[in-house]
């Protein structure tokens, strides 16, 4: 009984309840004709696709900058890297690596400017970050029409300029990680080993960073900025570094997402990426002041699992095609719950 109580205290009732709901969906699935193997595969793939963008939440939280609602800024850097990779005609591993290589310097530049801005609005970081995310997407909606791209794969055919809303990466670096060392069991189950290993690498790099002198200083700034300042730590520099790191992870995360999804979504695409990442890390047990890799793993599995299973089971049970409607309701509901919980904890 004592061990059970300790487990409940460590895990928290919200995660236990969401986990039980997810488990019940997997139990009910066969009775309504939903294949467990296919659903489990979708959940694993979604976890791999979204995991790095959720990891991007950790640096800013640990440095006391709050949740990164400005994640679209990093995503835009990733989109620029992806489109430049296609413009240059890079394919395969070289194409994916090239996209990352071109995205990282842009993410560092964007992150630096973003960090400097947040240092001037201490106490209102999350509100300003939201404006930064939305305004950057709106600005790039104009830029995607005027940037000098020429690849026929990406530009509008009838005008010869401006990028399409959705660009396929098929023939370039689609599934480059999903298919690497993929484990296939039957026709309906596949483990995207390469994607999971890439997420594990990014998680390990994050863990290793926070065990360095700089990472420890960053955590100290988030925990007690006055003590950190008295210890000779530059608070503003650590905060800016955390924003740069978060922005870089956002850029790499969207590229991981795109190679699995198979498409690059421009214009309003980045609008819908920040809130699910924020909700996932909060559902995993993080707060606006503290987050770790365990929170990322648990939260992403729970969030993406519920998002995958609920529409499938409900559609099969009531014999209708309302998957997108149900997915939108569930996603928004979980986001609202996570943000409400975070707001209460921060008071």
């Amino acid at each position: 009984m004592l061990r059970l109580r300790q487990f409940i205290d460590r895990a928290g009732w919200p995660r236990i309840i969401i986990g039980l709901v997810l488990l019940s969906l997997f139990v009910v699935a066969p009775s309504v004709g939903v294949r467990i193997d296919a659903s489990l595969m979708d959940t694993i793939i979604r976890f791999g696709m979204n995991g790095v963008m959720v990891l991007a939440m950790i640096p800013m939280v640990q440095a006391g900058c709050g949740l990164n609602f400005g994640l679209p800024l990093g995503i835009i850097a990733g989109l620029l890297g992806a489109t430049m990779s296609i413009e240059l005609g890079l394919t395969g591993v070289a194409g994916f690596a090239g996209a990352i290589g071109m995205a990282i310097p842009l993410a560092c530049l964007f992150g630096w400017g973003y960090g400097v801005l947040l240092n001037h609005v201490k106490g209102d970081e999350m509100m300003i970050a939201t404006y930064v995310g939305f305004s950057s997407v709106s600005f790039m909606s104009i830029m995607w029409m005027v940037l000098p791209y020429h690849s026929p794969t990406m530009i509008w055919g009838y005008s010869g300029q401006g990028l399409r809303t959705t660009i396929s990466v098929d023939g370039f670096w689609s599934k480059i990680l999903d298919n690497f060392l993929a484990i296939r069991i039957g026709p309906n189950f596949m483990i995207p080993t390469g994607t999971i290993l890439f997420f594990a690498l990014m998680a390990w790099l994050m863990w290793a960073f926070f065990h360095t002198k700089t990472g420890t200083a960053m955590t100290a700034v988030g925990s007690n900025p006055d003590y950190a300042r008295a210890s000779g730590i530059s608070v503003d520099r650590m905060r800016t570094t955390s924003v740069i790191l978060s922005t870089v992870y956002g850029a790499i995360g969207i590229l991981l997402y795109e190679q699995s999804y198979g498409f690059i979504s421009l214009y309003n695409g980045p609008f819908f990426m920040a809130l699910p990442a924020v909700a996932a890390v909060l559902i995993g047990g993080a707060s606006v002041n503290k987050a770790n890799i365990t929170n990322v793993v648990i939260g992403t599995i729970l969030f993406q699992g519920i998002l995958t299973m609920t529409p499938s089971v409900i559609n099969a049970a009531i014999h209708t095609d309302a998957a997108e409607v149900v997915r939108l309701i569930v996603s928004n509901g979980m986001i609202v719950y996570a943000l409400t919980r975070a707001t209460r904890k921060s008071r």
Side-chain angles (χ1 to χ4, degrees):
M1 192 67 177
L2 179 60
R3 288 184 179 180
L4 177 61
R5 192 170 300 168
Q6 289 174 342
F7 170 76
I8 292 173
D9 290 340
R10 285 198 306 269
W13 277 112
R15 278 159 297 289
I16 291 174
I17 292 171
I18 294 172
L20 290 173
V21 170
L22 181 58
L23 180 62
S24 67
L25 288 171
F26 275 106
V27 171
V28 171
S31 65
V32 294
V34 176
R35 295 189 62 96
I36 291 183
D37 53 357
S39 299
L40 183 59
M41 180 184 72
D42 289 342
T43 301
I44 294 172
I45 290 174
R46 280 177 169 271
F47 167 78
M49 289 170 63
N50 293 275
V52 174
M53 283 190 285
V54 183
L55 276 174
M57 295 292 124
I58 294 178
M60 286 179 59
V61 170
Q62 287 295 95
C65 296
L67 297 161
N68 186 11
F69 288 97
L71 184 65
L73 200 61
I75 290 173
I76 287 169
L79 294 177
L80 286 167
T83 51
M84 286 190 289
S85 172
I86 293 176
E87 177 73 10
L88 295 173
L90 302 178
T91 61
V93 174
F96 185 69
I100 292 177
M102 288 182 278
I104 288 177
L106 292 171
C108 290
L109 178 62
F110 296 167
W112 176 80
Y114 180 22
V116 170
L117 174 63
L118 292 186
N119 282 335
H120 285 82
V121 292
K122 291 174 183 173
D124 295 313
E125 290 95 342
M126 288 191 286
M127 180 179 69
I128 299 302
T130 303
Y131 286 124
V132 168
F134 286 173
S135 60
S136 61
V137 172
S138 299
F139 174 73
M140 285 306 298
S141 292
I142 300 172
M143 296 306 296
W144 294 129
M145 293 298 298
V146 300
L147 289 173
Y149 288 97
H150 304 289
S151 171
T153 304
M154 298 191 295
I155 61 174
W156 290 108
Y158 58 83
S159 64
Q161 67 178 35
L163 296 179
R164 300 174 186 174
T165 305
T166 304
I167 299 169
S168 173
V169 295
D170 188 37
F172 292 94
W173 33 269
S174 178
K175 311 290 184 185
I176 191 69
L177 291 178
D178 278 9
N179 293 333
F180 178 70
L181 300 178
I183 300 172
R184 301 182 185 276
I185 304 173
N188 298 301
F189 187 78
M190 184 269 287
I191 298 176
T193 309
T195 300
I196 300 300
L197 289 176
F198 189 86
F199 167 79
L201 173 63
M202 297 302 295
W204 180 82
L205 289 174
M206 181 73 73
W207 175 87
F209 172 78
F210 277 101
H211 283 76
T212 64
K213 183 178 179 180
T214 302
T216 304
M218 189 179 293
T219 302
V221 168
S223 300
N224 191 328
D226 292 332
Y227 172 79
R229 191 177 292 107
S231 301
I233 299 172
S234 173
V235 173
D236 285 356
R237 183 182 299 172
M238 288 299 102
R239 285 166 55 92
T240 301
T241 302
S242 76
V243 176
I244 292 173
L245 183 59
S246 183
T247 306
V248 168
Y249 263 68
I252 296 173
I254 193 61
L255 291 170
L256 182 64
Y257 181 95
E258 288 164 354
Q259 66 82 31
S260 189
Y261 181 54
F263 294 92
I264 300 170
S265 296
L266 303 178
Y267 300 95
N268 288 333
F271 263 133
F272 311 105
M273 295 294 185
L275 288 179
V278 168
V281 75
L282 291 175
I283 288 171
S287 68
V288 296
N289 303 310
K290 186 177 181 181
N292 56 45
I293 294 170
T294 302
N295 300 143
V296 170
V297 173
I298 293 174
T300 308
I301 290 173
L302 291 178
F303 186 87
Q304 296 300 330
I306 292 290
L307 208 59
T308 299
M309 289 301 297
T310 306
S312 302
V313 172
I314 291 179
N315 278 352
I318 63 178
H319 302 289
T320 186
D321 186 13
E324 288 306 314
V325 175
V326 174
R327 186 173 285 113
L328 187 62
I329 292 172
V330 172
S331 175
N332 288 347
M334 294 181 75
I335 289 170
V336 169
Y337 159 75
L339 294 178
T340 302
R341 180 173 170 273
T343 302
R344 288 175 179 173
K345 274 192 171 186
S346 64
R347 289 175 180 174

